[in-house]
C-alpha cells in the first residue's frame, strides 16, 4: 500500500505540483465571469472556503496513471469540483453556473496553450512537458520561462476580459433559453480538451515540435471560437427578452386600440343623440346662451377628425380630449394618403407616440418643466 500511495502522490513529478497551479489558474479564470453575479450572504467566507477546498482537492486527487485519458479525467474532475462550489457562493441558476464555469475553463486552456506556443517557438521547455517529465516545473526553472508563463496568462486573461468578461453586468441573471446550443458548446469544449491531451502524448513519443505547435494553435482557435459562440448566447438572450417585451407592448397597444375604437364610437353615438335632445328641449325651456354652452361642452366629444383612416381618427379624437384638458390646441391638416400600407394598430401606436411627444413639448413651453412633470 505505501508503494502504491508513493506512486499516486509522487512529489518528484511535475504533474504532482502542477495540479494546485492549474486549480489556481482555473479559479482566477472563472472569477472573470462569475464575480459580477449576485452574491449569497457571507460571500467572503463562502469564497474563502471555496478556494481552500479547491486547493485541497487538487492535492488529494491521485495520479493513478500518466496516460492521456486519465490526465484528461483528472483535470476535468478538478474542474467539476468548482461548479457546485460556485453555486455555493453565488445566487445563480445552474445554467448560469455552467456558463461561467466553462467560460473560465476556456480562458485557462487558452492561456495554457499560448504558453505552449511561446515555449515551442523559442525552444525552451514547453509547459506540456509536465505530462511526461519529472523534476522542477519547467516554467519555474528560470526567469525567462517564468516571465513567459506569467505574461501569457496575464495577456490571455486581460484580453478575454476586455472582449467577453465586460459583457457580464453587475448582479445579472444568466437566464439562457437556448440550452441545446449551450450543451453543444460544453460537449465540444470537453471533446477538444480530451483530444488535446491524447494528441499531446502522441507527439511526445516520438517528439514532434511542429505537430505540438499546430495543436496549440488549433486549441487556441477552437477555444476562442467556442467562447464567441457561448457569449453570443447572452446576446441572443437579450434579443429574445427585447422581442418578448415588444410583443407584449404590441398586444397591449392593439387592445388599447380596440378599446379606444369602441369608446369613441359609443361617445360619438351618445353625444350625437344628446345634441339633438338638447335642441329639442332648449327651444321651450332653456335660455339660448345656456343652450349654446351645453352644446359646446358636448361637442368636444363628437368626432370632428375625418382623415380617411379610422385608426388615425380615433387617436386624434382621443388625444384632442387630453389636449383640451391641458389647455393645448390640437389642429390637424391631412392629405389624401390613406395609410393602407400600415395596419390600424401600427397607425394608432405611431401617431399616438408622436402626439404624446408634441404634447409634452407644448406643455413644457406653456407651463415649464416642473408643471409638465405634474401633468
Amino acid at each position: 500500500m505505501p508503494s502504491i500511495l508513493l506512486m499516486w502522490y509522487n512529489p518528484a513529478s511535475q504533474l504532482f505540483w502542477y495540479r494546485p497551479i492549474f486549480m489556481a489558474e482555473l479559479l482566477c479564470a472563472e472569477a472573470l465571469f462569475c464575480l459580477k453575479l449576485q452574491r449569497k450572504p457571507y460571500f467572503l467566507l463562502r469564497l474563502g472556503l471555496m478556494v481552500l477546498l479547491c486547493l485541497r482537492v487538487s492535492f488529494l486527487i491521485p495520479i493513478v496513471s500518466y496516460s492521456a485519458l486519465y490526465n484528461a479525467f483528472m483535470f476535468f474532475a478538478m474542474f467539476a469540483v468548482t461548479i457546485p462550489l460556485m453555486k455555493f457562493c453565488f445566487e445563480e441558476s445552474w445554467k448560469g453556473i455552467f456558463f461561467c464555469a466553462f467560460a473560465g475553463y476556456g480562458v485557462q486552456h487558452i492561456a495554457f496553450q499560448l504558453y505552449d506556443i511561446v515555449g515551442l517557438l523559442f525552444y525552451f521547455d514547453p509547459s506540456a512537458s509536465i505530462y511526461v517529465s519529472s523534476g522542477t516545473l519547467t516554467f519555474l526553472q528560470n526567469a525567462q520561462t517564468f516571465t513567459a508563463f506569467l505574461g501569457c496568462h496575464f495577456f490571455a486573461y486581460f484580453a478575454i476580459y476586455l472582449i467577453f468578461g465586460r459583457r457580464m453586468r453587475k448582479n445579472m441573471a444568466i437566464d439562457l433559453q437556448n440550452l441545446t446550443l449551450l450543451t453543444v458548446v460544453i460537449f465540444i469544449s470537453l471533446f477538444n480538451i480530451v483530444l488535446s491531451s491524447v494528441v499531446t502524448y502522441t507527439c511526445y513519443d516520438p517528439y514532434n515540435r511542429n505537430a505540438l505547435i499546430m495543436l496549440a494553435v488549433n486549441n487556441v482557435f477552437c477555444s476562442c471560437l467556442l467562447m464567441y459562440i457561448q457569449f453570443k448566447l447572452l446576446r441572443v438572450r437579450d434579443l429574445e427578452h427585447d422581442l418578448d417585451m415588444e410583443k407584449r407592448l404590441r398586444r397591449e397597444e392593439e387592445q388599447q386600440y380596440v378599446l379606444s375604437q369602441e369608446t369613441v364610437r359609443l361617445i360619438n353615438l351618445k353625444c350625437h343623440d344628446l345634441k339633438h335632445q338638447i335642441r329639442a328641449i332648449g327651444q321651450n325651456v332653456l335660455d339660448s346662451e345656456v343652450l349654446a354652452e351645453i352644446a359646446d361642452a358636448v361637442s368636444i366629444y363628437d368626432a370632428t377628425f375625418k382623415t380617411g383612416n379610422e385608426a388615425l381618427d380615433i387617436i386624434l379624437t382621443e388625444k384632442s380630449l387630453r389636449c383640451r384638458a391641458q389647455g393645448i390646441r390640437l389642429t390637424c391638416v391631412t392629405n389624401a394618403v390613406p395609410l393602407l400600407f400600415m395596419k390600424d394598430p401600427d397607425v394608432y401606436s405611431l401617431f399616438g407616440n408622436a402626439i404624446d411627444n408634441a404634447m409634452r413639448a407644448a406643455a413644457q413651453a406653456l407651463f415649464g418643466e416642473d408643471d409638465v412633470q405634474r401633468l
Side-chain angles (χ1 to χ4, degrees):
M1 182 64 68
S3 60
I4 295 178
L5 292 177
L6 183 61
M7 181 182 68
W8 287 358
Y9 301 98
N10 181 13
S13 169
Q14 287 198 63
L15 192 57
F16 177 85
W17 295 108
Y18 180 68
R19 293 174 303 167
I21 295 177
F22 166 80
M23 183 63 77
E25 295 172 358
L26 181 61
L27 292 177
C28 291
E30 291 173 343
L32 297 177
F33 308 104
C34 68
L35 284 180
K36 289 186 179 180
L37 303 180
Q38 185 176 355
R39 302 172 180 180
K40 289 186 176 180
Y42 308 102
F43 171 74
L44 293 179
L45 178 60
R46 292 172 182 266
L47 181 62
L49 290 175
M50 173 184 176
V51 173
L52 290 176
L53 285 173
C54 288
L55 293 177
R56 182 63 175 171
V57 169
S58 69
F59 276 109
L60 289 178
I61 293 180
I63 306 176
V64 175
S65 171
Y66 287 85
S67 64
L69 292 179
Y70 180 76
N71 281 344
F73 166 77
M74 180 178 63
F75 284 113
F76 178 73
M78 288 189 286
F79 163 70
V81 169
T82 66
I83 295 177
L85 292 178
M86 288 172 61
K87 180 67 174 177
F88 174 71
C89 294
F90 299 98
E91 196 68 52
E92 182 57 62
S93 65
W94 283 107
K95 292 181 292 185
I97 294 296
F98 273 96
F99 181 94
C100 294
F102 274 91
Y105 203 176
V107 174
Q108 188 279 332
H109 194 61
I110 291 172
F112 182 84
Q113 294 298 321
L114 282 178
Y115 177 68
D116 269 359
I117 295 172
V118 173
L120 290 164
L121 289 177
F122 291 94
Y123 289 95
F124 52 78
D125 291 336
S127 60
S129 62
I130 62 172
Y131 295 124
V132 295
S133 61
S134 59
T136 306
L137 286 169
T138 55
F139 49 80
L140 299 178
Q141 287 180 349
N142 53 59
Q144 181 186 21
T145 57
F146 183 69
T147 302
F149 178 80
L150 289 183
C152 289
H153 281 72
F154 178 81
F155 170 77
Y157 284 39
F158 183 71
I160 293 177
Y161 175 77
L162 290 180
I163 298 173
F164 298 109
R166 291 194 301 177
R167 301 183 185 183
M168 309 289 290
R169 299 183 300 274
K170 186 70 174 178
N171 293 332
M172 73 176 298
I174 308 175
D175 187 19
L176 300 176
Q177 302 295 329
N178 195 338
L179 294 181
T180 301
L181 187 55
L182 179 61
T183 303
V184 171
V185 169
I186 292 174
F187 175 78
I188 296 177
S189 299
L190 296 177
F191 179 80
N192 182 46
I193 292 171
V194 173
L195 183 63
S196 172
S197 179
V198 173
V199 177
T200 297
Y201 271 83
T202 303
C203 292
Y204 272 96
D205 188 21
Y207 181 76
N208 190 331
R209 174 174 172 270
N210 292 332
L212 287 171
I213 293 176
M214 295 301 297
L215 172 65
V217 171
N218 178 73
N219 283 336
V220 171
F221 175 77
C222 291
S223 297
C224 291
L225 180 60
L226 288 172
M227 189 165 294
Y228 173 80
I229 296 173
Q230 185 175 349
F231 274 84
K232 273 298 180 181
L233 292 175
L234 288 182
R235 178 59 179 165
V236 171
R237 187 278 308 267
D238 292 339
L239 292 176
E240 290 175 344
H241 177 72
D242 293 342
L243 181 60
D244 290 339
M245 290 292 295
E246 183 66 22
K247 288 180 178 179
R248 286 198 293 269
L249 290 175
R250 295 292 297 167
R251 286 195 296 268
E252 292 177 359
E253 289 175 351
E254 291 177 0
Q255 293 173 358
Q256 178 64 31
Y257 167 70
V258 173
L259 179 62
S260 299
Q261 183 183 35
E262 182 63 20
T263 301
V264 170
R265 187 187 68 82
L266 292 175
I267 289 176
N268 288 336
L269 179 62
K270 295 298 183 182
C271 290
H272 183 74
D273 294 341
L274 182 58
K275 287 170 62 177
H276 285 290
Q277 294 175 8
I278 290 174
R279 292 193 188 97
I281 65 176
Q283 296 176 357
N284 301 319
V285 179
L286 297 179
D287 182 84
S288 59
E289 293 183 359
V290 176
L291 179 63
E293 292 179 0
I294 296 176
D296 180 68
V298 173
S299 66
I300 67 172
Y301 296 99
D302 195 7
T304 58
F305 297 98
K306 302 297 182 182
T307 64
N309 185 282
E310 184 181 5
L312 189 57
D313 293 343
I314 290 172
I315 192 63
L316 289 173
T317 300
E318 182 180 326
K319 297 302 180 182
S320 67
L321 302 180
R322 291 183 55 193
C323 288
R324 186 181 181 92
Q326 297 180 16
I328 300 173
R329 182 181 178 184
L330 175 64
T331 59
C332 176
V333 178
T334 62
N335 55 25
V337 178
L339 298 177
L340 296 178
F341 60 92
M342 296 179 64
K343 296 180 180 180
D344 285 348
D346 295 334
V347 174
Y348 182 86
S349 176
L350 175 63
F351 285 93
N353 291 331
I355 295 175
D356 285 338
N357 293 333
M359 289 173 60
R360 280 193 292 268
Q364 184 174 352
L366 290 173
F367 310 112
E369 186 174 353
D370 294 337
D371 292 333
V372 172
Q373 296 296 331
R374 287 194 293 270
L375 290 174

